[in-house]
C-alpha cells in the first residue's frame, strides 16, 4: 500500500475585516490555492469576524520548478450579498511549504492579512491550522491481460538457463571486470555497498528532511530546500583528483609471494596526493578494504579475515554463518605520500587457532589474496561506490574458496569512512565521527487558577511534577473549600513526547517540615494543546483522587490552563553566546540567511592527559555545536598532534550567533592502566568560540587558536587548535541587512517575558534534558561534554569576574573620559590652534543650529571610516586571558571560584573569604552613598531643605528667564561659550561659584544611622 501525502488547511475564523458592502459589514469567503488546486469555503453573510471552521484538503504532488512552493489564501467579499462598486478583496496570506508541519504538531496561528498592492486598504487577520497527513492509498487494479496475438514469442526452455549460469559466473569471476549493478548476474548478486546514513556521514545540516516536502511515491522526486544552493553548500567532499591514464574499475590480484620486498615502489609516482586550495581541510588518503563474504571454505566454524598493509595488520570479527560466511566490514588504512608499501594482503584463517597470530604448519590458513597497492583504483565522491567482486583464494586449504571484497583508495569524504575501522583510532568503535541532533524542546506552561471542594483545615498547595522537574504554588489557608492562585508553572519537555504524564498533587502542610499528599491528578501530554502566540487558552477542570485508596475517592478539583508554549525559544545556552534564537514552533521559522562551514583540521602540541605503560598519551577528539546540531570528530588514539580534517556545514538563521568548538580527551579506548574504563569522565582541554557576525562573507579564516583551560590549579595552555571557517550568504543582501532590525528573541519573549531567575532555572533544566538525550546516543555524547559546551557550570560567584567586569565598564567610559580631558586641555589653551578652531565651530553651530545633528553624524562617519584602517584582519576574536584577568589571579580567589555550593572548605578559609567580601562591600557602600548624596543635593534645590540656598536658586532662575526673554538665545549661548573657554589668565584657580553652591546643598546622609 503506497502512502499518499495530503495537505490539510483548516480555515477557522478571521478578525477585524474591512467593511466592503457600504453598510459597515462584509460577506467574506476564503479561496485557498496550492499546487494549482483551488478550494473555497462557504460565505458568511455580513460579519466582520466570520467563523468558518472548515477543513480543505489538497494533494501534494510533484514539486514545481519554482523553489519554495507557496500556499496562497485569499479573503474576498461576496458582491451578491452586499453590492458595491468597490474592490471585493479583503486581504491575503502567502506561506511557504517549509513552514508546514506534520499532523500532531499543528497549532492555530493568526496571520495578518497582506495587501495586494501599495494603496490597498487591508486590516485584520485570519486563523489557520496547516499540516500534512499521510494516507494509505489503495493498491491499483491489476492490468488487463494483453491480447493473445502479442504473446507469440516462445521463451527459452528451462534447461538452457541452468547450463548457461555456471559459464556466466565463471567468466565474471575470472575474466570480466567488476560488475556494476546492471551487469551483475541474478543468480549470484553481490550486495550493494553499505552507505552510512546521511545524518552521520554527511557534513550537511540535519534539518533538510524536516523542512522539505517528502515524496508521495517512489517515482516522485523529492524537493530539497538546497535546490538553489548547490554551489554555496559545502560538504565534506574533496575536490576531484586528476589522474593520468586509465584506472581499472577493480584491482587485479597478484600471485602470492613469500617476501614483499621485490614489489616495493613509491606510491607517489602513481598517485600523487594533491592539496586542495579551495576546501577548508586537507585531504587525507586512506586505503579502503571492504570484506563482504566468502564461500566454499573448508571449515565448520566462523572464520576471520586478516588484512596486512603498510606494516599494520587487523583481524575482522568472526563471520556470520548463513548461506555464506558473511562479514560485511570495512577497514580504512592511512596512506601517506611517503608510504612505500605496495602490497595489500587479505587472508582467511580458521578461528580455532587464528588468535595465536601464527601460521604453524599452515593448518589454520585457509587462503589469501595479494594486491599490488599501486593498481588499486582511486575513488573520490561523487563517484558511485565501488562494487565488490569475487576473488579466488590461493594457498591454504581452501582450494576452491572465493572471497568477495572491494578495495579502493579514497579520502575522509568517502561515505564508508565514518563507520570503517581506522588505523588512527586503534579500532575503537566509540571513536567514530558522528552528528547529533538536540531534541526539540518545548515550554510546558501550567496556569493554576483555583481549587474547589478542598476540605482541609490547614494550609495546602498544588505541586506539579514532570519527570525530575517539580514546581509548587504558594501555600493557602481556606475556610470555605475554595482558593485562588493564578500562578504560572513552567517545565521543559523534549520531543518525542513520552507516555509520562504531567502530575498534579494536592499537598497539605501539617507542620513546618511535614507535608502529606491528599490528592493526585494526571494529564497525558498527548491531550495538551499547543500555542504559538499569546491567544487565550480555554481552562479545564481536573479531579483530585485519593492516592492511598484503591477506589476512586473525590478529594476536590482544580481549574487550570495547560498548554505547550511554542512561541518561545527554549534557552540552553547563555544569551550572549547563543547559537540559535528560533522559536520552538516550526511555523514561525524564517528562511536561513546563509551557511557557515567549519573545517576542523587538527591540534598541535597537546599535553598528555594520561599515562599508558609509563608513557604520556592523549586520545583527543573535537566537538562543535551550532543550533541544535552537534558534531563529534573521531578520537585519534595516542597522538599529541592529531589530524582530523573533517568539514561540516550549518544553516545560519541569525548572524548574531556563536559557533563553539571544544576539544576533549577520551577515556573510551584506554584507561590509566591500559585497559578500557568507560566510567572515567572525558577531560576537557579547552574550547573556541567564533561569532558569525565577525566573519566576512565568503572569506576563509584558517587560524590556530590556543586552548586555554582555567581550573583550580590556574590558567594552563593545553595545546593549539587549527580550524578553518567560512560564512556564505544565501539570502538577498536587503533581507540579510533587515535581520539586524528584527528582535533577537521571538516575539513572545517581548509580549510575555520570562523573569531572569526563572529563565536561568529553565536553562539549567534544558541542559539536563539535552545531556540525558545525547547520552543515550551511540556512541554517546557524554554529559560532561554537553555541560562544558553549554557553559552550564560557569555561573558561580567569582571575584576575578567582578574585577574584570569593572575594568570593562572603565574601558567603555574611557572614551567619554578622554573627551572630557581633551576639552579641558582645549579650554586651557594648551593647543592654541585647536582652541581657535573650536571657537569657530562654536560660532557656526550657534548661528546655524540646523547643522548640529548633521555635523555630529558626519563626525561619527569619519571616525568609523578612520577606524576601518585599523580593523582586525587576522583571526576572529577569541578568549582573552588578559581581559579575563586569568593570568594574574590569586590562588585563594581561584579556589573560591571553583568551590562548590555549599562550601566544602574549612571554617578559617570561609571566614577569610567573608572578611574580604566585607571589605569589598564597604567600598561599594561608599560609592553608592556618594551617588545618592549627589542626587539628593539636586533634589534639595527646590525642596526648601536649605531655605537660603533655595531662595538663591529660585531667584537666579527668575533672572535667567528674564534675560532669555529679552536677549536672543544665540547671543546668550555664544557669550556663555566664549566665557567658558576664556584664556587661563582670566580665570581663578579656585572652584567655580556654581560648584561651591552645589556642594553646600544638604543631603540625607546625615540622617542615616
Amino acid at each position: 500500500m503506497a502512502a499518499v501525502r495530503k495537505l490539510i488547511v483548516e480555515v477557522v475564523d478571521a478578525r477585524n475585516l474591512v467593511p466592503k458592502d457600504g453598510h459597515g459589514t462584509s460577506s467574506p469567503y476564503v479561496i485557498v490555492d496550492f499546487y494549482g488546486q483551488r478550494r473555497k469555503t462557504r460565505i458568511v453573510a455580513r460579519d466582520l469576524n466570520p467563523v468558518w471552521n472548515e477543513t480543505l484538503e489538497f494533494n501534494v504532488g510533484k514539486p514545481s520548478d519554482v523553489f519554495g512552493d507557496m500556499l496562497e489564501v485569499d479573503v474576498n467579499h461576496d458582491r451578491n450579498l452586499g453590492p458595491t462598486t468597490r474592490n471585493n478583496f479583503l486581504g491575503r496570506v502567502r506561506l511557504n511549504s517549509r513552514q508546514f508541519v506534520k499532523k500532531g504538531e499543528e497549532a492555530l496561528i493568526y496571520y495578518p492579512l497582506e495587501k495586494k498592492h501599495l494603496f490597498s486598504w487591508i486590516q485584520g487577520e485570519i486563523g489557520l491550522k496547516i499540516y500534512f497527513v499521510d494516507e494509505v492509498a489503495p493498491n491499483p487494479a491489476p492490468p488487463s491481460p494483453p491480447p493473445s496475438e502479442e504473446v507469440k514469442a516462445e521463451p527459452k526452455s528451462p534447461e538452457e538457463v541452468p547450463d548457461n549460469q555456471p559459464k556466466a559466473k565463471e567468466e565474471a569471476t575470472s575474466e570480466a571486470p567488476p560488475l556494476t549493478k546492471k551487469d551483475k548476474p541474478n543468480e549470484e548478486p553481490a550486495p550493494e555497498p553499505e552507505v552510512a546514513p546521511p545524518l552521520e556521514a554527511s557534513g550537511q545540516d540535519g534539518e533538510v528532511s524536516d523542512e522539505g516536502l517528502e515524496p508521495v511515491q517512489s517515482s516522485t522526486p523529492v524537493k530539497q530546500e538546497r535546490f538553489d544552493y548547490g554551489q554555496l553548500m559545502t560538504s565534506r567532499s574533496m575536490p576531484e583528483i586528476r589522474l593520468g591514464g586509465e584506472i581499472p574499475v577493480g584491482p587485479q590480484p597478484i600471485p602470492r609471494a613469500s617476501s614483499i620486498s621485490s614489489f616495493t615502489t613509491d606510491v607517489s609516482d602513481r598517485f600523487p596526493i594533491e592539496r586542495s586550495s579551495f576546501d577548508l581541510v586537507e585531504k587525507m588518503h586512506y586505503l579502503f578494504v571492504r570484506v563482504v563474504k566468502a564461500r566454499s571454505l573448508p571449515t565448520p566454524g566462523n572464520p576471520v579475515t586478516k588484512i596486512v598493509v603498510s606494516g599494520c595488520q587487523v583481524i575482522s570479527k568472526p563471520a556470520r554463518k548463513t548461506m555464506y560466511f558473511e562479514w560485511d566490514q570495512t577497514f580504512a588504512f592511512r596512506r601517506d605520500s611517503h608510504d612505500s608499501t605496495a602490497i595489500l594482503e587479505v587472508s582467511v584463517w580458521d578461528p580455532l587457532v587464528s588468535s595465536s597470530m601464527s601460521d604453524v604448519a599452515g593448518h589454520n590458513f585457509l587462503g589469501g589474496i595479494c594486491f599490488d597497492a599501486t593498481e588499486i583504483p582511486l575513488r573520490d565522491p561523487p563517484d558511485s561506490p565501488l562494487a565488490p567482486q569475487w576473488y579466488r583464494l590461493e594457498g591454504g586449504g581452501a582450494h576452491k574458496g572465493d572471497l568477495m571484497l572491494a578495495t579502493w583508495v579514497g579520502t575522509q569524504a568517502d561515505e564508508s569512512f565514518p563507520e570503517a575501522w581506522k588505523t588512527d583510532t586503534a579500532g575503537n568503535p566509540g571513536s567514530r565521527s558522528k552528528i547529533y541532533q538536540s531534541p526539540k524542546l518545548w515550554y510546558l506552561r501550567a496556569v493554576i487558577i483555583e481549587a474547589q471542594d478542598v476540605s482541609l483545615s490547614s494550609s495546602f498547595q498544588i505541586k506539579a511534577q514532570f519527570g525530575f522537574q517539580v514546581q509548587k504554588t504558594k501555600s493557602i489557608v481556606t475556610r470555605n473549600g475554595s482558593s485562588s492562585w493564578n500562578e504560572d508553572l513552567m517545565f521543559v519537555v523534549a520531543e518525542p513526547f513520552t507516555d509520562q504524564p504531567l502530575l498534579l498533587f494536592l499537598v497539605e502542610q501539617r507542620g513546618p517540615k511535614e507535608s502529606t499528599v491528599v490528592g493526585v491528578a494526571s494529564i497525558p501530554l498527548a491531550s495538551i494543546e499547543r500555542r504559538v502566540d499569546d491567544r487565550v487558552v480555554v481552562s479545564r477542570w481536573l479531579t483530585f483522587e485519593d492516592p492511598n485508596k484503591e477506589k476512586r475517592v473525590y478529594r476536590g478539583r482544580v481549574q487550570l490552563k495547560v498548554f505547550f508554549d511554542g512561541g518561545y525559544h527554549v534557552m540552553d545556552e547563555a544569551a550572549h553566546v547563543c547559537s540559535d534564537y528560533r522559536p520552538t514552533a516550526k511555523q514561525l521559522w524564517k528562511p536561513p540567511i546563509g551557511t557557515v562551514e567549519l573545517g576542523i583540521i587538527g591540534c598541535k602540541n597537546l599535553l598528555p592527559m594520561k599515562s599508558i605503560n609509563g608513557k604520556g598519551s592523549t586520545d583527543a577528539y573535537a566537538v562543535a555545536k551550532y543550533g541544535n546540531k552537534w558534531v563529534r570528530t573521531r578520537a585519534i588514539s595516542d597522538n599529541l598532534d592529531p589530524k582530523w580534517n573533517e568539514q561540516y556545514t550549518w544553516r545560519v538563521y541569525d548572524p548574531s550567533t556563536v559557533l563553539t568548538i571544544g576539544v576533549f580527551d577520551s577515556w573510551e579506548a584506554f584507561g590509566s592502566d591500559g585497559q578500557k574504563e568507560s566510567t572515567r569522565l572525558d577531560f576537557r582541554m579547552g574550547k573556541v568560540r567564533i561569532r558569525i557576525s565577525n566573519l566576512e562573507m565568503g572569506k576563509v579564516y584558517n587560524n590556530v587558536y590556543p586552548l586555554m583551560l582555567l581550573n583550580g590549579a590556574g590558567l594552563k595552555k593545553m595545546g593549539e587548535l587549527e580550524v578553518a571557517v567560512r560564512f556564505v550568504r544565501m539570502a538577498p543582501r536587503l533581507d540579510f541587512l533587515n535581520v539586524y532590525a528584527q528582535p533577537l528573541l521571538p516575539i513572545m519573549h517581548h509580549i510575555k517575558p520570562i523573569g531572569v531567575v526563572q529563565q536561568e532555572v529553565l536553562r539549567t533544566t534544558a541542559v539536563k534534558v539535552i545531556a540525558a538525550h545525547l547520552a543515550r546516543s551511540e556512541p554517546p555524547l557524554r554529559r560532561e561534554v554537553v555541560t562544558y559546551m553549554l557553559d552550564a557550570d560557569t555561573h558561580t560567584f567569582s571575584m576575578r569576574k567582578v574585577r574584570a567586569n569593572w575594568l570593562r565598564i572603565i574601558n567603555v567610559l574611557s572614551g567619554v573620559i578622554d573627551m572630557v580631558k581633551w576639552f579641558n586641555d582645549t579650554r586651557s589653551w594648551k593647543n592654541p590652534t585647536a582652541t581657535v578652531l573650536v571657537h569657530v565651530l562654536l560660532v557656526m553651530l550657534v548661528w546655524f543650529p540646523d547643522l548640529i545633528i548633521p555635523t555630529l553624524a558626519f563626525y561619527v562617519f569619519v571616525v568609523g571610516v578612520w577606524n576601518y584602517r585599523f580593523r582586525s584582519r587576522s583571526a576572529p576574536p577569541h578568549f582573552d586571558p588578559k581581559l579575563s584577568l586569568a593570568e594574574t589571579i590569586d590562588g585563594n580567589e581561584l579556589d573560591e571560584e571553583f568551590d562548590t555550593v555549599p562550601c566544602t572548605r574549612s571554617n578559617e578559609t570561609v571566614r577569610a573569604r567573608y572578611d574580604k567580601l566585607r571589605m569589598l562591600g564597604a567600598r561599594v557602600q561608599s560609592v553608592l552613598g556618594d551617588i545618592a548624596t549627589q542626587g539628593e543635593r539636586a533634589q534639595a534645590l527646590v525642596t526648601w531643605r536649605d531655605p537660603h540656598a533655595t531662595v538663591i536658586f529660585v531667584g537666579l532662575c527668575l533672572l535667567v528667564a528674564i534675560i532669555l526673554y529679552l536677549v536672543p538665545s544665540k547671543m546668550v549661548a555664544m557669550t556663555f561659550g566664549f566665557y567658558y573657554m576664556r584664556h587661563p589668565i582670566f580665570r581663578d584657580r579656585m572652584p567655580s561659584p556654581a560648584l561651591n553652591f552645589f556642594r553646600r546643598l544638604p543631603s540625607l546622609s546625615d540622617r542615616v544611622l
Side-chain angles (χ1 to χ4, degrees), residues 574-614:
H576 63 283
V577 292
C578 194
S579 61
D580 190 11
Y581 294 103
R582 289 177 297 169
T584 301
K586 185 180 177 183
Q587 299 94 321
L588 304 180
W589 290 3
K590 297 180 180 179
I593 61 173
T595 59
V596 57
E597 305 167 24
L598 174 67
I600 307 177
I601 299 175
C603 285
K604 300 177 182 179
N605 305 322
L606 294 180
L607 296 182
M609 294 289 103
K610 50 183 171 288
S611 177
I612 304 297
N613 298 325

Side-chain angles (χ1 to χ4, degrees), residues 371-384:
F371 295 93
D372 187 352
T374 60
E375 299 295 337
I376 296 178
L378 183 68
R379 175 183 175 269
D380 220 2
D383 296 347
S384 300

Side-chain angles (χ1 to χ4, degrees), residues 338-356:
H338 56 78
D339 189 5
S340 59
T341 304
I343 289 297
L344 167 65
E345 182 177 351
V346 183
S347 55
V348 183
W349 298 75
D350 194 301
L352 299 177
V353 292
S354 61
S355 60
S356 62

Side-chain angles (χ1 to χ4, degrees), residues 194-203 236 286 288 330 332 411-422 425 428-435 632-634 646 648 779:
E194 182 179 358
V195 180
L199 186 62
E200 300 177 357
S202 171
R236 288 185 292 171
Y286 286 85
F288 290 88
T330 305
T411 63
Q412 71 269 34
D414 199 290
E415 65 269 10
S416 301
F417 182 76
E419 299 296 332
W421 181 97
K422 309 173 195 61
T425 61
N428 180 22
S431 65
R432 298 189 297 267
S433 56
K434 291 289 181 179
I435 295 179
R632 180 188 189 272
T633 66
R634 64 190 188 278
E646 298 183 13
Y648 302 92

Side-chain angles (χ1 to χ4, degrees), residues 13-57:
D13 60 354
R15 303 172 179 172
N16 304 323
L17 297 180
V18 176
K20 286 288 186 178
D21 61 356
H23 301 283
T25 60
S26 295
S27 301
Y29 63 93
V30 179
I31 296 178
V32 184
D33 190 342
F34 182 69
Y35 275 119
Q37 309 168 62
R38 284 199 170 189
R39 304 288 187 270
K40 179 181 177 181
T41 65
R42 60 185 175 87
I43 302 172
V44 179
R46 300 177 180 85
D47 194 348
L48 297 181
N49 299 291
V51 178
W52 291 283
N53 287 324
E54 294 189 24
T55 301
L56 307 180
E57 185 177 292

Side-chain angles (χ1 to χ4, degrees), residues 314-385:
V314 59
I315 298 178
S316 70
K317 60 185 180 182
R320 299 187 306 272
K321 186 65 178 298
T322 57
M323 182 183 298
Y324 302 97
F325 298 94
E326 298 183 358
W327 292 279
D328 200 8
Q329 202 171 356
T330 305
F331 304 89
F333 300 88
R334 180 67 187 276
R335 186 173 184 180
D336 297 325
S337 58
H338 56 78
D339 189 5
S340 59
T341 304
I343 289 297
L344 167 65
E345 182 177 351
V346 183
S347 55
V348 183
W349 298 75
D350 194 301
L352 299 177
V353 292
S354 61
S355 60
S356 62
M357 302 299 294
S358 62
D359 189 5
V360 181
H363 67 278
N364 62 332
F365 176 68
L366 301 180
I369 314 170
C370 285
F371 295 93
D372 187 352
T374 60
E375 299 295 337
I376 296 178
L378 183 68
R379 175 183 175 269
D380 220 2
D383 296 347
S384 300

Side-chain angles (χ1 to χ4, degrees), residues 642-656:
K643 292 290 184 182
W644 295 293
N645 284 307
E646 298 183 13
Q647 185 168 331
Y648 302 92
T649 304
W650 288 267
R651 290 180 183 173
V652 177
Y653 293 85
D654 195 299
S656 303

Side-chain angles (χ1 to χ4, degrees), residues 614-627:
K615 175 187 174 183
S617 175
T618 297
D619 302 336
Y621 66 92
V623 176
K625 195 263 181 186
Y626 185 80

